[in-house]
Amino acid sequence: MKRLFQITLFGGIAGVVALVVAVAVAMSSLPSYEAMKSSPNGQMIRVHASDGSVIVSLGPSFGKWLPYDQIPKIMVDAMVSVEDKRYYMHPGVDPIGMTRAAWFAVEHRGTGRRMQGASTITQQVARNIFLNNSYSFGRKLREMVLALALEWKFSKQQILELYLNKVYFGGGAYGVDAASRKFFGHPGTELSLGEAAIIAGLVKAPSRYSPTADAEAAVGRAGVVLDVMVENGTITSAQAAEARPEDVSMAPEAPQNSVRYFTDWALPQLDMMVDEQTEPLDVWTTIDLRMQRAAANALKANVPAGSQGALVALDRDGAVRAMVGGLDYVTSNYNRATQAVRQPGSAFKLFVYLAALEAGFTPDTAVVDEPVDINGWQPRNSSRNYNGQIDVRTAFAYSINTIAAKMGVDVGFPAIADMARRFGITTPINTHPSMVLGTSDVRLLDMTRAFASVSRKGVAVVPYGITKVTTADGDVLYEHEDDTSRVLVAPWVAAGMTDLLQTAVNTGTGRAAQIGRPVAGKTGTTSSNKDGWFLGFSSGVTTGVWMGRDDARRVGGLQGGRAPAQAFAQFMRVAVARRPVEEFDTQLTLPEWQLEPDDEAYFGPPDNGMYVDENGMPLETEPGTHTDEPAEEEPVPAPSAPQRLDQRWIDEVLGRENRSAPNRTQPQTAPGSSSAQRPAQQ
């Protein structure tokens, strides 16, 4: 027995020495406290709608780092009570807890249940920062050594600060601040007792007790936490009764369907806006959830069976208020609003008529609807009829193909392609004659942008989705600024185009898009009804709708003036319901070169000069022809022989003395000229 005692004693001493050496070695290898705070966590990004509500949280949710003195005391007490009630008494490893856990393991041997209750808060910190969650004796031993080293090197408060800022609380939230923001919608510094009890109860089984997964289970677990706090003396029974976790207001879950089309488009732009890669970010966006729901509903109600649809709505400055890239994000996250390229059909005539208006056409200009042959290409109207002489307004309203083709010849197909580029079309554009009917592939977002620029009276519109980016503390890292410096066309061109677009809705192919207030828009239908489009604007909102099949097969009955126009109208009734009615400015103030033809531009009284013919020879003038005075008041000059263009004549015209020599050679006389010829001022 004596020998056994000696062996045990020396073995114990050797074990203690080995443990001390191991702890000392571990402590010397521990990083600094600041390094452990900044260990890779991932970045939390919270995306807000235009009303400030959170629509989605991305990435591991690490909130703001809270120093120990900023963490509510009730949160600290709740966590210590439920996770490690002897935390302030043990050196990092709890012998009593280990004994209890060992006894539990003996009682449940053979059942497959693991040892429970042995890990202290310090051991959990060691495991979370330096180890993994694999269950083995070796990992447990390393965890204990690291826990002792941590307690030796850092204070209890520092370890608690690490723990409460790094522990996983479920729902993707790491740390007290992230959990508070996710589950309750406010910072971790504002936690109530009931909220602290809910959060503290999550650590045991985050997926099981998470309020987003099972609110009832989370409340029940919070009751257990409050009971333990009463047992430990950290709160009174009265305080526990007043906490009432069941009355805690939970933050609503963000929608995860159609709005993800928007976030998938907007968030990659963050890399070009901010450099911050670790701090939690709040991203404030333009999306209007009311409009977004209306857009999704409008598409689902009108898209033909077996087809897909997309919708984009822009405010007058380019803010994206709604973006739906398909009928269901869960089944297909392909964004047809920003990624798909499809033929626009007659919707492309926007650029044809813009180029024509800029070249001198007006809505009232007479044109002739007749058969056209352009190097063998013979476009036909959808009605198969020709209407003879009509005006530009009627041609656009009824989408007459022959007129668009003739305009293409008049203004030049490269000029039309340039106009499309000017208005934001980013896809390749061909300059074949058929391009006037929309044979070049385009994106819905680009087309909607072009119509929005017309609505803005010719000022360029650039779609954007992010208004500002801030840190969790509210420091602004980026803020959007509207640029109104780029003017694409003159205001009178935009006014003329708005006139045409409004007529297309009032009396033409877009009548199904009427909503009881002024609307301007254009339909588009491709060959064999593969694509249907409607794009238009009203009260400052510009909306584009596309429908078709992803495999580009024919869709029976799909025309831009039907389902797409109906979806547009259903959405716009909601989108502009809270906006005042706005009349369109379609009064054309044309430039002088259009109001006054060249043949009459300089017709008026002479400036005390002489008129000459096409050869530069002087002309006689008839009384009253080029003066505002009555002819009878002017003396009628006697006919005279044509003047000679000699030095004497030049001196008289210039008002100087005649210095010419009498024997100077004289040129031949200029021929006479009829007064019916157009005079030109000298």
Side-chain angles (χ1 to χ4, degrees):
M1 292 295 295
K2 180 180 179 181
R3 191 169 188 81
L4 180 61
F5 174 77
Q6 290 176 335
I7 293 174
T8 304
L9 177 62
F10 286 112
I13 293 174
V16 170
V17 172
L19 180 61
V20 171
V21 172
V23 170
V25 171
M27 188 187 71
S28 65
S29 64
L30 286 176
S32 67
Y33 188 74
E34 290 301 319
M36 289 194 292
K37 283 175 58 177
S38 62
S39 59
N41 292 329
Q43 188 176 32
M44 172 189 177
I45 299 176
R46 295 197 312 163
V47 185
H48 299 260
S50 59
D51 62 359
S53 61
V54 177
I55 55 177
V56 65
S57 294
L58 303 176
S61 179
F62 284 86
K64 178 185 175 183
W65 186 276
L66 298 181
Y68 181 81
D69 57 3
Q70 292 185 19
I71 302 173
K73 185 175 185 304
I74 52 172
M75 184 70 250
V76 176
D77 291 342
M79 191 63 71
V80 171
S81 295
V82 75
E83 285 297 311
D84 189 0
K85 64 182 180 181
R86 284 180 293 276
Y87 174 72
Y88 295 106
M89 295 179 285
H90 62 65
V93 176
D94 184 7
I96 298 176
M98 292 180 63
T99 303
R100 185 180 66 250
W103 181 252
F104 178 89
V106 172
E107 284 187 329
H108 295 85
R109 63 184 182 277
T111 64
R113 299 184 65 179
R114 292 163 51 175
M115 186 167 60
Q116 297 179 356
S119 292
T120 64
I121 285 178
T122 313
Q123 287 177 264
Q124 293 181 53
V125 170
R127 181 169 66 246
N128 291 338
I129 296 179
F130 303 109
L131 304 173
N132 54 45
N133 289 322
S134 64
Y135 189 76
S136 65
F137 180 77
R139 194 271 295 166
K140 197 69 178 177
L141 182 60
R142 290 195 298 275
E143 177 186 296
M144 293 168 61
V145 171
L146 285 170
L148 292 170
L150 285 170
E151 291 269 359
W152 197 346
K153 186 171 184 178
F154 303 112
S155 69
K156 291 283 187 180
Q157 290 185 350
Q158 287 179 309
I159 294 171
L160 270 176
E161 181 181 319
L162 283 172
Y163 180 69
L164 290 170
N165 281 284
K166 285 183 172 291
V167 68
Y168 182 59
F169 290 104
Y174 291 81
V176 169
D177 188 65
S180 178
R181 292 176 187 273
K182 179 173 181 59
F183 300 132
F184 311 123
H186 59 71
T189 54
E190 303 172 8
L191 288 168
S192 66
L193 177 57
E195 292 170 341
I198 290 176
I199 291 180
L202 299 177
V203 178
K204 180 178 181 180
S207 59
R208 178 181 175 185
Y209 295 121
S210 172
T212 57
D214 190 339
E216 186 176 345
V219 170
R221 174 65 178 165
V224 174
V225 174
L226 291 172
D227 291 340
V228 173
M229 294 179 72
V230 172
E231 290 177 8
N232 292 344
T234 55
I235 61 173
T236 65
S237 298
Q239 289 175 313
E242 291 175 0
R244 297 187 60 81
E246 62 272 16
D247 293 339
V248 170
S249 177
M250 300 289 182
E253 272 294 285
Q256 294 292 313
N257 199 338
S258 68
V259 76
R260 289 300 302 272
Y261 289 114
F262 169 77
T263 56
D264 286 354
W265 169 75
L267 292 181
Q269 302 169 29
L270 282 174
D271 291 339
M272 298 180 290
M273 298 175 181
V274 297
D275 296 328
E276 181 58 59
Q277 300 293 325
T278 57
E279 280 287 315
L281 298 179
D282 281 295
V283 180
W284 306 84
T285 72
T286 59
I287 203 73
D288 185 310
L289 295 181
R290 181 178 61 90
M291 291 190 190
Q292 184 71 17
R293 287 190 295 269
N297 293 336
L299 285 180
K300 291 178 180 177
N302 292 281
V303 169
S307 301
Q308 274 289 352
L311 184 151
V312 174
L314 304 179
D315 217 324
R316 64 180 81 245
D317 66 341
V320 177
R321 298 303 182 192
M323 177 181 286
V324 181
L327 296 184
D328 183 52
Y329 181 87
V330 176
T331 58
S332 173
N333 60 12
Y334 178 60
N335 193 338
R336 296 158 187 83
T338 61
Q339 295 174 277
V341 288
R342 305 294 291 246
Q343 290 186 351
S346 291
F348 193 83
K349 290 176 183 175
L350 174 79
F351 309 115
V352 178
Y353 280 77
L354 279 169
L357 291 171
E358 191 173 62
F361 285 79
T362 71
D364 297 314
T365 299
V367 290
V368 180
D369 178 17
E370 60 187 354
V372 175
D373 188 318
I374 305 175
N375 298 327
W377 179 60
Q378 299 176 340
R380 297 180 300 177
N381 297 325
S382 58
S383 64
R384 301 297 192 270
N385 297 321
Y386 302 101
N387 302 286
Q389 182 167 307
I390 56 177
D391 58 23
V392 167
R393 185 181 289 106
T394 303
F396 185 84
Y398 292 96
S399 201
I400 305 299
N401 290 337
T402 58
I403 301 301
K406 293 172 74 174
M407 284 182 172
V409 174
D410 287 342
V411 304
F413 302 109
I416 296 171
D418 175 72
M419 185 64 72
R421 278 275 180 264
R422 201 189 308 176
F423 271 75
I425 300 302
T426 57
T427 46
I429 304 171
N430 69 66
T431 54
H432 303 144
S434 61
M435 62 97 75
V436 299
L437 304 185
T439 56
S440 296
D441 290 336
V442 296
R443 294 185 177 90
L444 176 61
L445 182 60
D446 289 349
M447 288 294 292
T448 308
R449 169 188 183 180
F451 276 75
S453 297
V454 174
S455 173
R456 207 180 189 187
K457 301 181 180 181
V459 177
V461 169
V462 179
Y464 71 97
I466 298 176
T467 58
K468 68 177 179 179
V469 181
T470 67
T471 64
D473 292 329
D475 296 330
V476 177
L477 303 179
Y478 165 84
E479 193 160 11
H480 175 79
E481 295 182 2
D482 188 20
D483 180 10
T484 59
S485 63
R486 287 187 58 223
V487 178
L488 305 178
V489 291
W492 58 269
V493 175
M497 195 68 242
T498 303
D499 184 337
L500 303 182
L501 291 167
Q502 185 177 21
T503 306
V505 175
N506 290 343
T507 63
T509 59
R511 290 189 296 274
Q514 296 174 1
I515 59 174
R517 64 170 67 196
V519 174
K522 183 70 182 77
T523 59
T525 308
T526 60
S527 60
S528 302
N529 294 46
K530 295 177 182 177
D531 302 89
W533 298 71
F534 188 87
L535 302 107
F537 48 86
S538 178
S539 299
V541 177
T542 303
T543 299
V545 178
W546 167 86
M547 295 180 186
R549 289 176 59 98
D550 287 337
D551 57 8
R553 294 174 59 185
R554 183 181 185 276
V555 180
L558 178 61
Q559 294 180 346
R562 294 183 182 176
Q566 292 165 358
F568 171 91
Q570 180 178 332
F571 166 74
M572 288 292 282
R573 289 189 187 99
V574 177
V576 302
R578 301 176 183 175
R579 297 183 178 219
V581 176
E582 296 181 14
E583 299 292 336
F584 293 126
D585 181 11
T586 57
Q587 296 298 318
L588 276 67
T589 304
L590 299 176
E592 289 186 3
W593 65 266
Q594 277 198 277
L595 292 172
E596 195 170 31
D598 288 345
D599 285 347
E600 301 175 3
Y602 297 103
F603 188 80
D607 297 328
N608 298 322
M610 181 172 288
Y611 292 91
V612 297
D613 65 11
E614 64 273 13
N615 297 314
M617 297 297 110
L619 296 174
E620 296 178 356
T621 59
E622 296 183 2
T625 303
H626 303 296
T627 178
D628 292 332
E629 298 296 329
E632 58 269 17
E633 296 183 6
E634 294 289 338
V636 179
S640 60
Q643 297 186 41
R644 293 178 180 276
L645 252 176
D646 54 12
Q647 186 63 43
R648 183 192 301 273
W649 177 84
I650 295 173
D651 291 337
E652 289 178 358
V653 170
L654 297 179
R656 64 190 184 190
E657 294 182 2
N658 185 5
R659 298 192 297 271
S660 59
N663 60 347
R664 183 180 295 276
T665 303
Q666 303 294 337
Q668 295 181 354
T669 59
S673 176
S674 170
S675 61
Q677 292 177 298
R678 177 184 180 273
Q681 278 191 332
Q682 185 180 6

